[in-house]
Each structure stands twice: as C-alpha cells, then as structure tokens.
C-alpha cells in the first residue's frame, strides 16, 4: 500500500492539466494518481509535455471507469470543491486536511483526495462519497484555481506536514559564527581607528555611538570569515595605520 | 501605499506566465505587480488570456528598467530562489515569510517579494539586494516550480495568514443542530421499532446494541431536518406501525 494519499481526478478534460497535476504531485512527494474516464485518449503526449519530467507519476497512473471503482479500496476520502455545496458535511482547509491525512496514513489507512472536471468541479454524488470537503481559503471575489494549481496547494500542504517545523536558517557556507572574542577584537580595531579619525571626538557622545555601532555589527550575526573581511575594511579605510591584537600576534588578515 | 506586499518579476520570459502570476495574485488578494524588463512586449495579450479575468492586476502593473528602481521605495525585500546560494543570508519558508510580511505591512512598512526569470532564477546581485531568501520546501529530487506556481505558493501563504485559524466547519444549510430532546425522541421511535421487529430480541445484548446505535447516530451530529428524515425512514421501514411522541401530539413528520 502507498504511504501517501492517492490523488483521484474525475473526468479531467485536458491531458495538459493531468501533466500539471503529475508535476505538482512529484514536487510534493505524491506518487499515486488515478484517473476516472479522462475525456482525452490515454496515454496522452500533452500530459507528458506538461509534466516536465514527472513521467513516473503518469506511467503509474491507473484508469477507472467510475469514481466508485477508483475509491473502492480507500478508507478516508476528501472532496475538493470551489463552491460551498448545500450539504451537511464537514468543510476543512487544505492545511487541516493535510494534517488529518498525515495522521491517517501513518496509521496505515489508505486515503484519497478527489478533484472534479476543470469546468464543473465534482458532481454532488461524488462529493457525497467523501468524508469531508476541502475548500481552499482564497479571495472570495476571485477564487477559481485551475486543476493543476488546486492539486498543487493540497499536495504542498501535505508535504509541509512532513517538513521540519520551520526555523529560519542562516547558511554559513564554509565559515562559522564568529566567537565573541573575535567580535570584540574587531570592535577594538574599529574603535581605535574611529578614535584616531576624529569620528568619536565628542567624548560625551562616544559611549552611545560605540554602543550603537556594536549593536549594528552584532545584529548581522557575523561569521568568522566576515570578521576577517571587516578587519581588512577598517585597515584599508584607515590607511593601514592601525594594527589589531591579532596583527601584533602575526595573524594573516 | 499598498496594504499588501508587492510582487516583482525580474525579466519574465513569457507573457503567459505573467498572466498566471496575475491570476495567482488575485486569488490571494495581492494587487501590486511590478515588471523589470519583461522579455516580450508589454502589454501582452497572452498575459491577459492566461490571467483568466485578473485583468486589473495586469492593468495596474508597473514597468521598470532595473531591479534597483523597482524596489527603491520598499523597506523589506525577499528573494525567492529554487537552489541554495553561497551566501550568508537568512533562508525562510513561504509560511515564515508570509507571517513576517503580514507583520511588516501591518506596521505600515512597504514590502516586496522578488521572482527571477523562468529559466535561471534571480541573479546573485538581485538576491543580495534582499533581506532574506524564501525557499519553498519541496521534494528535493524534483523541486522545480514554474513561475506562476511559485508566486501562487507565496501568495497563498500570505492569504492564509489572514484567514481565520481554521476550525472544521459543518455547514447546516437552513437547518440547525437537533436538540437532545429531538434526538432522544428519535431514539425512542427507533428502539420501539427495533424491539417490535425482533432485532433487539436478545435481552442481555439489548443495552449494548442500543448504546452502539445511539453512539453511531450521535457521532453524525444530526440536524433537526435529518432527525425528521430519520423518523420517516424508521416509520416507512417498519410499515408505519409505530408512532412517535410527536406523532401522538399531532406533529407533521
């Protein structure tokens, strides 16, 4: 059995859209596509072109004669709809559906998400087949998505449920964060140069100016490599007149 | 000033893609589009066709000769990239970026998100212009999105930050949740019919069978209208032999 939800397209009209769906699925780690009576012949070269390399999803796609057959082995089913139906059936967002799907699938329960034909959407009988309705929160004055985009948003939310709980990342390349000692050493160098240049000549303003500069440079979270560059900047701007402690110790800057 | 982030497309290649971008923006309540040297003549009828009605975004789009000019009035800038650059610059997800953008914009700070040309993405100078990098978490083996899809995901996350914090919704149409009294009255009717039919004939099993049935019907959160239908179902299945309390009181079922 699959370890991710099945995407079921009911009577998709254009092969191209099936290709976009395959691409969006592959972008988000989904692999199992089922097609209920596609309107154009299958396999479809336009689908392959639009899939931009997600051929595997297309090759593995299964054809069915009816929605009932396409979903017969699934235990939990979601219907995607663009407009609210006159039905007493739970409505969830793609994000909520993704969380539920992740849980169901982890419990070994086969799940699927149904998408209707491009122009009309799912008919009411197919919506009724499903446990819940997925509605994408969008601008109510302009909420129509094409089929590929609708699948992308649902698949994207599925993928996000597995992504590490987003902390901001600061890639450091081959460097590492500068140590406080390295930063202090740079501040010494900078302030020595600024004192000599006359920039810090007003003594009563000096402490707050120094504090502001230190805060500015620290806020940038300098790497060890950047601190070395900054030493060079100060050294060259001040005409090599000042030597850091490291200089005196013979370090190569 | 705008109350939502500006989308800036740097040297977009195809008018069609600009149209898809406009559609995705309008889907998600974004209105301000800026174009830096689009490769095809502007305005572009293919953009209008692909925008599927998001004409207003296209009509308001502004043209610029350089990225620097296009972003000159903005205070916070995000660069979208598909591949990790060799830069010491914070990397966030679209969801994180959307949260930050929402906060900045609420504080009155004009913000923008940069997208590069379809084939190559943003060049390093344009990435350097930005405060942070936005990377969409996607299948690392297949992470290429087209321009319209990339804008859609960023715009979608923007819109979600304003959406009410998703509770599952159960639309009740013109009905209302059944009262406990109405539900009890139905259970009475059902059990009376089941007793008479012989279904509950094994006395020691009766309590657990009744409890299971009650749990089943309650789990469906019946509406008042559904309870009336269920009365009808039981009444007709049992050949009209049983009358509910409401019947006896003359209610119309």
């Amino acid at each position: 059995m699959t370890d991710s939800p099945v995407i079921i397209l009911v009577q998709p009209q254009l092969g191209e859209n099936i290709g976009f769906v395959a691409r969006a699925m592959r972008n988000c780690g989904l692999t199992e596509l089922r097609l209920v009576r596609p309107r154009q012949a299958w396999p479809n070269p336009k689908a392959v072109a639009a899939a931009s390399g997600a051929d595997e999803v297309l090759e593995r796609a299964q054809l069915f004669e009816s929605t009932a057959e396409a979903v017969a082995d699934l235990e939990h089913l979601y219907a995607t709809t663009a407009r609210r139906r006159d039905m007493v059936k739970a409505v969830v967002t793609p994000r909520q559906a993704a969380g539920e799907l992740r849980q169901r699938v982890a419990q070994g329960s086969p799940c699927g998400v149904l998408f209707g034909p491009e122009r009309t959407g799912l008919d009411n009988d197919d919506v009724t087949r499903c446990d819940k309705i997925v509605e994408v929160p969008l601008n109510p004055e302009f909420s129509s998505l094409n089929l590929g985009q609708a699948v992308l948003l649902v698949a994207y939310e599925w993928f996000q449920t597995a992504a590490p709980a987003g902390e901001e990342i600061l890639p450091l390349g081959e460097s590492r964060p500068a140590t406080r000692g390295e930063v202090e050493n740079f501040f010494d160098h900078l302030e020595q140069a600024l004192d000599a240049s006359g920039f810090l000549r007003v003594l009563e303003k000096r402490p707050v100016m120094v504090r502001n500069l230190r805060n500015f440079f620290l806020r940038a979270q300098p790497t060890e490599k950047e601190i070395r560059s900054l030493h060079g900047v100060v050294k060259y701007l001040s005409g090599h007149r000042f030597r850091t402690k490291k200089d005196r110790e013979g370090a190569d800057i």
Side-chain angles (χ1 to χ4, degrees), chain A:
Chain A
M1 201 58 222
T2 175
D3 58 354
S4 54
V6 177
I7 299 294
I8 303 124
L9 305 184
V10 180
Q11 297 183 53
Q13 288 162 335
L14 301 174
E16 195 182 15
N17 287 338
I18 302 174
F20 288 137
V21 165
R23 179 180 182 175
M25 287 175 62
R26 184 106 166 75
N27 277 148
C28 302
L30 297 180
T31 52
E32 199 175 336
L33 177 62
R34 298 182 182 179
L35 306 173
V36 179
R37 295 199 309 281
R39 299 284 170 88
Q40 298 178 340
W42 190 260
N44 185 322
K46 284 196 175 170
V48 177
S52 299
D55 302 13
E56 203 189 313
V57 175
L58 294 178
E59 284 157 18
R60 289 184 52 181
Q62 291 175 278
L63 281 187
F64 291 87
E65 271 309 301
S66 69
T67 307
E69 290 167 80
V71 304
D73 61 329
L74 303 177
E75 291 178 4
H76 297 282
L77 262 190
Y78 291 77
T80 54
T81 65
R83 52 195 166 77
R84 191 60 63 88
R85 308 300 172 103
D86 185 22
M87 283 189 204
V88 183
K89 193 179 288 285
V91 176
V92 293
T93 63
R95 192 162 302 172
Q96 293 166 321
E100 294 174 7
L101 285 166
R102 183 64 68 177
Q103 227 172 352
R104 302 291 196 187
V105 165
Q107 291 159 354
S109 185
C111 298
V113 186
L114 246 68
F115 294 82
E118 287 89 333
R119 226 160 283 173
T120 56
L122 287 170
D123 69 28
N124 283 334
D125 286 338
D126 280 345
V127 175
T128 298
R129 242 176 260 288
C130 296
D131 302 303
K132 296 188 182 183
I133 290 172
V134 181
E135 243 182 46
V136 185
L138 290 174
N139 178 0
E141 290 167 19
F142 193 86
S143 63
S144 97
L145 291 172
N146 71 31
L147 183 56
Q149 290 174 317
V151 172
L152 175 66
L153 291 180
V154 168
Y156 165 80
E157 288 286 6
W158 160 261
F159 194 81
Q160 302 317 300
T161 59
E167 283 300 300
E168 183 173 297
I169 296 165
L170 186 65
L172 299 182
E174 289 167 13
S175 192
R176 56 166 175 78
T179 65
R180 272 318 125 116
E182 288 161 348
V183 172
E184 279 299 318
N185 191 36
F186 166 68
F187 287 155
D188 284 347
H189 182 187
L190 175 66
E191 288 154 24
Q192 198 183 353
L194 292 177
D195 276 329
S197 74
F199 183 77
L200 297 174
R201 69 189 174 282
V202 184
L203 275 185
E204 63 271 31
K205 287 195 185 161
R206 190 183 186 283
V208 70
M209 289 173 79
V210 165
R211 213 176 297 129
N212 289 347
L213 280 169
R214 289 185 170 222
N215 279 332
F216 170 79
F217 280 101
L218 271 180
R219 202 162 63 234
Q221 304 181 50
T223 65
E224 183 273 337
K225 198 174 153 194
E226 287 167 338
I227 287 291
R228 272 190 283 143
S229 297
L230 289 170
H231 274 296
V233 167
V234 173
K235 184 167 152 180
Y236 278 76
L237 284 180
S238 60
H240 298 63
R241 278 167 298 170
F242 301 95
R243 294 164 55 86
T244 65
K245 191 162 154 267
K246 263 200 179 163
D247 267 338
R248 292 188 296 272
E249 286 163 0
D252 174 38
I253 297 182

